[in-house]
Amino acid sequence: ILIHTEDVEILGPRFGRILKELNYNTYMTYKELQFPKGTLFLVTGGAGFIGSNLCEAILKMGYRVRCLDDLSTGKQANVDLFEGNPNYEFIKGDIKDLDTCMKACEGVDYVLNEAAWGSVPRSIEMPLFYCANNIQGTLNMMEAARQKGVKTFVYASSSSVYGDEAHLPKKEGVEGNLLSPYALSKRCDEEWGKQYHKHYGLKTIGLRYFNVFGRRQDPHGAYAAVIPKFIKQLLNDEQPTINGDGKQSRDFTYIENVIEANLKACLAPDEASGEAFNVAYGGREYLIDIYYELTKALGKDIEPHFGPDRAGDIKHSNADISKAKRLLGYDPQYDFARGLAEAIDWYKANL
């Protein structure tokens, strides 16, 4: 239902203002969003998969981007294409260092905090590092953003915070026992986000990503995400391994939807501050079905090898995105099939 903005004041100024903002954002793609001229975004982890896509999108919209990355998991090649753009600045630095965070936040309007180490299995092997990097690092960024007067601090959370909660779809406020240090780090980030909103007035918005995929996602290494890893192996005529029976399901989310969520979160009403939101399409895809879709799309006749389940993994994941739609104006445009087709084309051209 579209409520015309000239009619909403009869509902009261507070409710009317929210509806105006949502009407404005919901019916726009992120490319149509308007920020003041000269707006400066800080993207931490900007040389990574999600971060580099955010940098690219913001630069194409005509705004300024400062990228902060220590290149521990991000790749210089992901941001080399921005070199020479007068609206782009790169800082090589570590979010575990508060002074670096303070310098990076100087003059910044919006922070998109993507800097973190991913991977559930790796976090089980390296719990101390995940605490220092994903928790203390994010806390350093929140503190720097507070002191430097940042308007909105948007940060990456994860669907892993739902833990062993079995009900589908996953809904904010209904979480289970955490299953990994990675999940714990993201839950802690959300709690710090609440505290910085409550005590210091920093506008914080957490985005619980559900299995993001798309261009520039790294297909290499033991901890590579499943879609790019399968594509790379099939293109090389290698036999991929599926952990478990392949009947686990995920709400795979194309990168374009994640860009939209981040940029709309920057403009969200105050009522969204201190909250966390599911960012997904709202679908449910089974791993074995995805595998055979890829073999068909790539013209390969290779049967997978089935290995053991991965420690800390959940069996099924599917998101309720109604809260993000209501408060962020989130309206994902890419379903799984459309996103997968674009991802396959990109990997064919770039691997």
Side-chain angles (χ1 to χ4, degrees):
I1 300 173
L2 177 61
I3 302 176
H4 294 288
T5 55
E6 63 266 24
D7 298 331
V8 298
E9 292 300 340
I10 61 173
L11 300 173
R14 178 174 174 272
F15 189 56
R17 175 172 51 80
I18 296 172
L19 285 176
K20 281 183 180 180
E21 290 171 340
L22 290 183
N23 280 339
Y24 175 74
N25 284 343
T26 302
Y27 298 96
M28 282 186 155
T29 67
Y30 73 80
K31 297 174 184 177
E32 300 170 299
L33 295 175
Q34 296 292 315
F35 295 89
K37 185 177 180 180
T39 293
L40 175 59
F41 292 82
L42 170 62
V43 182
T44 71
F49 158 48
I50 295 176
S52 64
N53 276 283
L54 286 170
C55 290
E56 183 178 34
I58 295 164
L59 289 170
K60 284 183 176 179
M61 293 167 68
Y63 301 109
R64 299 160 59 209
V65 172
R66 181 178 294 153
C67 169
L68 172 65
D69 202 302
D70 67 357
L71 301 179
S72 59
T73 57
K75 297 183 180 301
Q76 185 65 50
N78 285 343
V79 292
D80 279 344
L81 65 160
F82 312 138
E83 291 298 334
N85 188 321
N87 285 334
Y88 173 74
E89 174 189 357
F90 179 79
I91 299 174
K92 185 176 181 181
D94 191 338
I95 60 170
K96 294 193 293 295
D97 180 67
L98 180 58
D99 288 341
T100 297
C101 298
M102 294 289 288
K103 293 172 184 175
C105 284
E106 192 69 49
V108 167
D109 296 293
Y110 301 99
V111 171
L112 305 179
N113 189 62
E114 308 301 316
W117 272 37
S119 175
V120 164
R122 184 167 56 189
S123 75
I124 295 173
E125 297 173 6
M126 304 171 63
L128 296 181
F129 181 84
Y130 274 72
C131 180
N133 194 74
N134 291 10
I135 301 175
Q136 186 61 54
T138 298
L139 180 56
N140 286 345
M141 283 303 310
M142 286 186 190
E143 177 61 17
R146 176 183 78 87
Q147 291 195 35
K148 296 298 181 179
V150 167
K151 295 176 182 177
T152 307
F153 185 91
V154 183
Y155 63 94
S157 185
S158 165
S159 60
S160 64
V161 301
Y162 288 104
D164 64 1
E165 168 54 43
H167 293 90
L168 297 177
K170 306 295 185 184
K171 188 174 180 64
E172 300 92 337
V174 185
E175 294 84 19
N177 297 306
L178 300 173
L179 300 176
S180 70
Y182 174 72
L184 175 59
S185 74
K186 292 302 184 179
R187 178 73 67 81
C188 288
D189 290 347
E190 291 186 1
E191 292 301 321
W192 276 115
K194 292 177 185 177
Q195 295 300 315
Y196 267 74
H197 160 71
K198 179 179 179 179
H199 296 296
Y200 311 116
L202 178 64
K203 188 174 178 181
T204 62
I205 296 177
L207 302 180
R208 293 179 176 177
Y209 297 153
F210 280 69
N211 295 93
V212 185
F213 73 100
R215 57 188 177 268
R216 291 202 288 276
Q217 190 173 30
D218 189 0
H220 303 288
Y223 302 109
V226 65
I227 289 178
K229 189 171 186 177
F230 283 177
I231 292 174
K232 177 184 77 74
Q233 291 174 322
L234 289 171
L235 287 174
N236 292 334
D237 293 319
E238 299 170 358
Q239 183 186 38
T241 295
I242 294 178
N243 295 109
D245 59 10
K247 296 179 181 178
Q248 56 267 56
S249 63
R250 296 290 183 268
D251 195 337
F252 284 97
T253 311
Y254 189 55
I255 185 62
E256 285 289 308
N257 297 334
V258 172
I259 296 170
E260 179 190 326
N262 273 270
L263 293 178
K264 286 188 172 181
C266 292
L267 299 175
D270 292 341
E271 284 73 12
S273 184
E275 298 289 323
F277 299 85
N278 291 340
V279 174
Y281 185 75
R284 189 176 174 190
E285 311 296 332
Y286 289 86
L287 205 56
I288 192 66
D289 294 337
I290 294 171
Y291 178 80
Y292 286 118
E293 284 183 47
L294 289 173
T295 60
K296 182 179 179 181
L298 297 172
K300 302 294 182 178
D301 185 17
I302 302 173
E303 288 298 315
H305 170 261
F306 292 92
D309 290 318
R310 293 196 318 177
D313 269 359
I314 57 174
K315 185 69 174 178
H316 299 292
S317 185
N318 165 241
D320 179 333
I321 58 174
S322 59
K323 182 180 176 182
K325 286 185 172 183
R326 177 169 52 87
L327 282 176
L328 303 184
Y330 176 60
D331 184 27
Q333 300 298 303
Y334 283 75
D335 63 11
F336 177 72
R338 183 183 178 190
L340 186 64
E342 287 201 5
I344 289 172
D345 287 344
W346 188 89
Y347 283 108
K348 280 182 175 180
N350 289 277
L351 282 182

